[in-house]
Amino acid sequence: MPSRSTAAVTQVELEEPQPAPGLQFNEPLSWRAGKAIAVADLLKRLHALSKEMQEMEQEENERDSFTRVAKDLVSPNLLAHKDKGVKALTAACLVDILRLCAPDAPYTGQQLRDIFNVIISQILPALADPSNAYNHQHLYVLTSLAQVKSIVLLADIPSADTLIRNLFQHCFDVVSGSSRSSPAEKVQQNVEVHMTALLVCLVDESTTLPPEVVDIIVAQFLRTDPKALNGSGSKNKKNGVVDEKQSILFLKQLPPAYNMARYICNACPPKMARHFSQYFNDVVVDASNSSEQKNPSKSKKRHSDGLEDSDDENGGGPTEQALSDLRKVHGLLRELWRACPGVLQNVIPQLEAELSAENVQLRLLATETLGDIISGIGAAGLPVAPTMDPAAYPSNAPLKPSENTVSLNLLTKPSSPQPFPSAHAQAYANYLGRRHDKSALIRAAWTTGVGRILSTSAGGAGLSQQEEDRLISDLNGMLGDADEKVRVAAVRVVANFNFYDVVSKLGRLGGVSDSGSLLATLADRVRDRRHPVREEAMGVLARIWGVAVGEISEENEQIVALLGGIPTKILDTYYTNDIEIMVLLDRVFYEHLLPLSYPPVKAKSSRLPNGNSQGTKESQRSTDKGGEAIDLDKIRTERILLLVKALDERAKKVFYAIQSRQLMLSRYMIAYLARCEDYNVSHLRRDGAKHADDLQGGVMEENESSIKENLTRLIKTFAGMLPNPQQATSDLWKFAKLHDRRSYQLIRFCMAPDSDYRTVFRAIKEFTKRVVDASSSSTASSSLVDTLKPLLYRVSLIVYNKSHVPAIMEYSRTDDKSLAATAHEVLREISSRRPEVLKAHVQEICKTLQDEAPSAKKPNDAGAVDNLKACASFASKYPKEIPKDRKFVQAMSNFALYGSPPEAAKYAVSVMWAATEKKESLARDLAEKCINGFSFGADGCLARLATLSQLMLLAPAEMDEQSSDEILDIAIKQTLLQVREPSTKPADEYEWSPSIDDEGQAKCWALKILVNRIRSHPDAETLKDVAAPVYNLLSTLVEQQGELSKAGDTPPTHKPRLRLLAARLYLKLCTQKAHDALLMPSVFNALTTVVQDSEEAVRSGFLQRLKKYLNQQKLPQRFYVIPFLLAFEPNETLRSDATTWIRSRAVAFTNAKSIGLSTKANTVMESVFARLLSVLSHHPDYANEAEDLIDFARYIIFYLQNVATADNVSLIYHIAQRVKQCRDAVTASPAPDAPPTEADDRLYYLSDLAQVTLQKFEDIHNWTIQALPGKIRLPSSLFSEIRSHAEAQRIAEHHYLPDGVEAGVEDVLKATLRASRAAHHGKKRKVESGDANGRDAKKAKPGLPIRNPPRPKEKKAAGAASKAPKTPKAKKAKESKEPGSESAERRRSGRVKEVEKSYVERDSEEDDEEMEMVDEAVEAGGDGPKEEANDSEPGSQDVVDETRRDEAVDELAQKAEEQEEAEAAEESEQEPTPTPKPTPTSASSRAKRKSAASPRSKTKPSPRATKTRATRSRAIAV
């Protein structure tokens, strides 16, 4: 037997070569139904198989050995197994099969689909969870597919688009962490690398990609968008807007999915460029299709038909969904340019084509996108704009690029991989051409884009000097664009520049004072006609100056030249007198130019070098970085002086006006706070107070209505200073109801002269915080801060603060930084404007007045009256600060006796009265000195009259009976009734002059003495008897055109002034309710004719005072009638001003109604219509003829033009109807059952005329007059009810208007409205065949009654029948006139005398009211729109007959001579001797005489002259 070794050798020698080793695994992996392999066994077998195949190389194995295993692995039992481990190991084995069998996979197409479906849908998504037990197998599958590139088999599978889409989706989800994974685990870095390689391989081998895959890829570039990162659809985010303060939460590096998509695009640029181009084109085409479906008719239009409508700003654009898709894809293009610009080589031309698209939305998107692409701005947007803090100290004004470095977020840092202008020159040129686009939206977007290009230097790629200059020039042009939106965009662009770029780039063409430069154009925008532009421009300029102030203080010539004129430009806007600009100026002034928080160094006590501790109350000090003490007040004062130094003369006036305004407004605010406290205390009393502190204020419950009225007045005053009075009124009421007493005290701290700056600043800061906190509650409005803050700025002592005075004085002494001259100027202004801050200056003023006191031989200085006025104002507030020594009192007495002009005497009396404690002795001494030896023409005559006038007002109780009688004797006998220089010229030759002689002045002061006597009368019970003679005297002056002398020889220079003064004194008296009750309706009707006086100065002067009192709500409602008599006013300026005022009052009453003020004032302008008809019925020029009624319709049209609206026209029509249901109560009424009188007929004529006019007015405006339920109560002093029902029915059914009136009214109405519209549009339209009032040119009459003095005419027989039939008036024959005479006849009565010049002398009464205006506003007794007292007593009115009115002067003279006889006369007046009363017959005869005497001819006397004075006693007692 051979040995074993020999046998072995023989076997080796005989062994043949073995085939390649195959798969040794031979265990079953599949099973039949019902005989499943246990999971544990299956996992063991799969693990063994996987391990064996992983160790096998691709080219060293027998492929046939894999056949059985390959077949078992694709069985549904394994691919669909429930166990995740089985699936993971199966997938690992399958990728090894694909690796080992490559390039030919041993599977059919369907089997490959199943394999990749498991891998893509289950294996790859599991990689998102690194903690998965089978993560190793999952990672092996991914690695094998990427390295072996087995993934390319996916592209060979038919209809594999879904698998490819899912593959991309799951891969991006895994690396982005958005799939289901544990947030505590991070995906491994190699997963991102292998997935990227996997997808790049698939893209590179695929001939095309499904559109869904392209969508998935492009979506990854939007992951840098903060909206996407923070979840735009979350509940806590609105529209995906992210707070800029949370920018630190943004990603600091690019997201992995973003990097993966960027790598794919850069690895396959040709293919991805083609896909992106198709993607972009599809979105645009879809948007175009949606536009055509939205407006199918537009696509059928010819191009020529749509030239003007090609800019589809209001319609015709893409749908909202399509537009949203367009925004997304354009946002994608921004990020693609930053990440992979190579893929946009085919998209940029498409984007360029959009710049010329007809649809404005497409052009807008293209313009915005190209601007951001050039700037290198991606989907994350711009970084946070650099802030220029004007309150920073030291000023943060970097003048070097190195000082301007900003830490930028990687996602927001502008970055352009290549310079766009070079890479796409044609697209860049077309982009620049968009500055001429016809759409303002496009130009605004282009402007924003250019600003970003300049500020980012084209995304860091850089701009040439020539290109930069061109863009700056274009931006300068956009600041002057015609559209508001473009200008706002341009201003905001400048705001986004940092200070270095403002100086180095924008300032290259010049500063704010260099015409044509960008900064100069920006400065011009502060006066822009649109408020948003003004607001933006003013804020930007102020911030720039605030940052530059440090360099300006160092006298940097470049900065001073560029930016030094900014304060002047800003303060010049004050002259626009626009409320919105005023509020904006206040905010900019105290938040940017002189920020309240400047300097922001924290004030604290510091140890001075000498070892003393310096407290902040005396001087705010802090320490700088070097440890030296900093005087904060001095730093702030320096900025104030630098600001003033930079101003020109006009701007300085504004600066000082802003500071002086604080004094007046602080008084209003003090009153407002007091009324708020009283208002709440009153409510606490009513509701029951629980604490003693609640009752501070001591207001009685019965004064609650008065408190509320006064509070309403003050609130209206403040609301009128703000742009939105309605909202301001609401906010001020809410603040009053909050009753925050701490806020009240904080406001008082701000206004107090003894508050230092630190106190004022802290008070404003705390007050603002409290108001903001209150606004967040349900009881206050969010606009409360916007309403209260401007008012707080205006009343606070911020600039003229006592903390600044030492520093100002120091600068005035040292001339540090060349500020001495400015410091002296500011000190002078503080001493004159705010004496409370510099009380020592008051003593100096008093000493100056003492040295300038006049005497009988020496007159006072002409400027003394101004010093006296200021001293009087100061004395009324701080009487204890006025000197009381004998020399000063003697000086004031000399001014009272010899002061010139007479107003100086009045102010001197006021100074002494406020300062002295012995008022009774002072009053008697002054009165005695003025009375003794008084004679007209003596030295100090006018001064004595002025002194007596002021004493009558201030000291009625201190004047004894004898002195009062002597004063009346001086005023009446020695002054009023004397005619020392009779007129020698006819009245027609008189022209109004700006000055008046001493006699005229003396009469004016005498009238004031009489009126002041009854104004200060203390006893309400005897007021009627005391005031009756004065009222009769004033009535005589008004009715007789200022004539007092029985001989009619009063100089023409005196009469218009006396009439004007009498009318004004009537208004002043009627501001008090007790005096208003004494003005009878008949006298009121005469007073209304003053507004139609022949002298323009009288009309304008009376109207000016009337509007003033009505604005202050001091006069009753009936005075609103008077302005409506200006329908025929020849002075267009006066008429236009009155029209504007009427409309403003109507709007004010409407606003009062809208904010819930339930008072009668809501319908003041509507209820006035009844009074207007009553006044017109008693108008001297009234006649029942058709032509006259058509003329009177112009009054009604004038009223309707200014008052009527669609909401109140029904009410006005109802009032016109109600007038016809009443009788006239102004004249003496007959028995209740008597037939209607002529006065009643006049009312009925006017009622029908008003109804016809209203109907025509309604038709023209397409309004609807609706019937109102019930009846409106008319004033009982003007109207009385008709007792007989039958008579009322007859009157209602009878039509009073003559034929032709209705057609004439329609013609006049249409012509008036046409002229009004033409004037409104600035066009002069010629009315065809007639004048502007719609009358035939041949029949045109000179228009309305400007009243001339009536001429006496003999009275006709009194026995004429009252009801005689009226004969039509004969037509007036044409008279030959001189050339030009017809144009002079402007009013219907033909008695107009045209005056070229109009001078209204400012009398002492105006100065007095100017001083008292604030005090009257803060005092109680503001009754708002008043109701007449006699309206509540129908039939109880005593009408003063003609005889008693003519005897007014006699009564005054008798009182001056004998007091006892006057008292007897008063007793006899209570039981007057019966006098013949006007009868219907006499009234009718007067009407006939009125008809006979045509009022339209200048040669004929006035109808008022027909009322003969034969029965009157015209003798005036002398």
Side-chain angles (χ1 to χ4, degrees), residues 992-995 1057 1096-1098 1100 1395-1401:
W992 183 276
S993 62
S995 60
R1057 293 183 181 273
E1096 181 182 328
V1098 175
S1100 61
V1395 181
E1396 296 180 356
K1397 297 181 180 181
S1398 174
Y1399 301 93
V1400 180
E1401 183 184 8

Side-chain angles (χ1 to χ4, degrees), residues 503 507 509-515 517 519-520 545 548 551-552 555-566:
V503 175
L509 301 180
V512 294
S513 301
D514 300 324
S515 178
S517 68
L519 293 177
W545 187 87
E551 295 296 327
I552 293 176
E555 299 183 355
N556 186 316
E557 295 182 358
Q558 179 189 9
I559 303 301
V560 172
L562 288 178
L563 310 174
I566 288 178

Side-chain angles (χ1 to χ4, degrees), residues 893 896-898 909 919-935 940 944-945 947-949 951-952 955 958-960 962-967 970:
S893 298
L897 296 176
Y898 305 105
V909 174
K919 299 183 183 298
E920 182 177 357
S921 175
L922 173 66
R924 290 181 179 178
D925 290 345
L926 284 177
E928 183 178 354
K929 292 178 181 179
C930 292
I931 293 172
N932 293 339
F934 177 86
S935 62
R944 294 187 182 190
L945 288 175
T947 300
L948 292 175
S949 171
L951 288 175
M952 280 294 185
E958 286 75 7
M959 305 294 294
D960 55 21
Q962 181 178 358
S963 298
S964 297
D965 293 343
E966 293 177 350
I967 292 173
I970 292 174

Side-chain angles (χ1 to χ4, degrees), residues 963-1217:
S963 298
S964 297
D965 293 343
E966 293 177 350
I967 292 173
L968 290 178
D969 180 80
I970 292 174
I972 299 174
K973 294 181 60 177
Q974 301 184 38
T975 306
L976 278 175
L977 302 182
Q978 295 292 332
V979 181
R980 294 176 174 83
E981 296 181 3
S983 173
T984 57
K985 296 182 179 180
D988 294 341
E989 297 182 6
Y990 165 73
E991 291 186 1
W992 183 276
S993 62
S995 60
I996 188 174
D997 57 20
D998 289 349
E999 183 181 0
Q1001 292 187 59
K1003 291 183 177 181
C1004 292
W1005 284 109
L1007 270 180
K1008 294 178 182 179
I1009 290 175
L1010 300 179
V1011 172
N1012 285 345
R1013 174 173 173 266
I1014 63 175
R1015 284 177 61 196
S1016 60
H1017 188 72
D1019 190 0
E1021 296 181 356
T1022 61
L1023 176 62
K1024 183 176 181 180
D1025 296 334
V1026 175
V1030 178
Y1031 271 71
N1032 291 337
L1033 173 63
L1034 296 177
S1035 176
T1036 301
L1037 287 173
V1038 170
E1039 293 182 357
Q1040 299 299 324
Q1041 310 295 319
E1043 181 62 72
L1044 273 178
S1045 173
K1046 67 178 181 180
D1049 56 353
T1050 300
T1053 57
H1054 296 175
K1055 290 192 291 186
R1057 293 183 181 273
L1058 289 175
R1059 191 187 192 209
L1060 174 60
L1061 179 60
R1064 284 182 163 186
L1065 292 175
Y1066 258 139
L1067 297 179
K1068 182 180 286 291
L1069 287 170
C1070 290
T1071 58
Q1072 302 177 12
K1073 194 171 184 178
H1075 287 286
D1076 177 66
L1078 302 179
L1079 183 64
M1080 297 298 104
S1082 57
V1083 182
F1084 176 81
N1085 292 339
L1087 180 63
T1088 60
T1089 61
V1090 177
V1091 81
Q1092 296 177 338
D1093 193 275
S1094 58
E1095 290 295 337
E1096 181 182 328
V1098 175
R1099 301 195 305 272
S1100 61
F1102 175 68
L1103 189 63
Q1104 178 184 8
R1105 188 62 53 86
L1106 174 69
K1107 292 190 295 186
K1108 174 183 176 181
Y1109 287 150
L1110 287 175
N1111 285 335
Q1112 298 172 356
Q1113 299 183 359
K1114 293 183 177 180
L1115 290 174
Q1117 296 180 9
R1118 58 174 171 172
F1119 284 89
Y1120 278 98
V1121 173
I1122 299 177
F1124 293 107
L1125 297 182
L1126 291 172
F1128 293 85
E1129 172 60 46
N1131 187 324
E1132 185 58 33
T1133 301
L1134 184 60
R1135 188 175 187 271
S1136 176
D1137 292 344
T1139 299
T1140 303
W1141 180 85
I1142 292 171
R1143 293 177 178 175
S1144 68
R1145 296 307 301 162
V1147 171
F1149 288 128
T1150 303
N1151 292 339
K1153 183 177 181 180
S1154 63
I1155 62 177
L1157 294 179
S1158 58
T1159 63
K1160 282 190 175 182
N1162 295 344
T1163 57
V1164 169
M1165 305 306 286
E1166 291 83 1
S1167 60
V1168 159
F1169 190 58
R1171 298 180 181 276
L1172 176 62
L1173 296 181
S1174 175
V1175 169
L1176 293 178
S1177 69
H1178 294 275
H1179 196 280
D1181 291 329
Y1182 176 85
N1184 291 335
E1185 303 298 330
E1187 197 170 2
D1188 295 290
L1189 290 173
I1190 293 174
D1191 276 343
F1192 267 67
R1194 295 175 63 189
Y1195 289 108
I1196 301 174
I1197 295 172
F1198 183 68
Y1199 170 86
L1200 295 177
Q1201 281 183 296
N1202 297 303
V1203 176
T1205 64
D1207 297 328
N1208 64 8
V1209 66
S1210 299
L1211 176 59
I1212 298 173
Y1213 188 81
H1214 182 71
I1215 292 174
Q1217 289 179 320

Side-chain angles (χ1 to χ4, degrees), residues 379-392:
L382 279 171
V384 178
T387 58
M388 291 187 287
D389 185 7

Side-chain angles (χ1 to χ4, degrees), residues 499-520:
F499 185 79
Y500 170 77
D501 287 339
V502 169
V503 175
S504 61
K505 294 181 179 180
L506 304 185
R508 187 178 298 160
L509 301 180
V512 294
S513 301
D514 300 324
S515 178
S517 68
L518 185 144
L519 293 177

Side-chain angles (χ1 to χ4, degrees), residues 209-255:
L209 288 177
E212 296 84 354
V213 173
V214 179
D215 293 343
I216 294 172
I217 294 175
V218 299
Q220 310 313 312
F221 291 100
L222 298 178
R223 291 184 180 274
T224 56
D225 189 351
K227 300 176 184 178
L229 291 174
N230 292 272
S232 60
S234 62
K235 295 181 180 179
N236 297 328
K237 304 289 182 183
K238 293 183 178 180
N239 299 325
V241 177
V242 181
D243 189 357
E244 290 184 356
K245 298 180 180 179
Q246 298 182 357
S247 60
I248 58 174
L249 303 179
F250 293 167
L251 295 176
K252 302 304 180 182
Q253 61 182 359
L254 295 176

Side-chain angles (χ1 to χ4, degrees), residues 879-921:
K880 295 183 179 180
E881 301 294 331
I882 301 297
K884 298 178 177 59
D885 58 282
R886 186 180 60 83
K887 291 184 178 179
F888 180 75
V889 174
Q890 182 61 41
M892 293 297 102
S893 298
N894 289 345
F895 273 109
L897 296 176
Y898 305 105
S900 177
E903 289 79 6
K906 182 181 71 171
Y907 297 139
V909 174
S910 299
V911 172
M912 290 187 291
W913 188 259
T916 186
E917 297 178 356
K918 301 179 181 179
K919 299 183 183 298
E920 182 177 357
S921 175

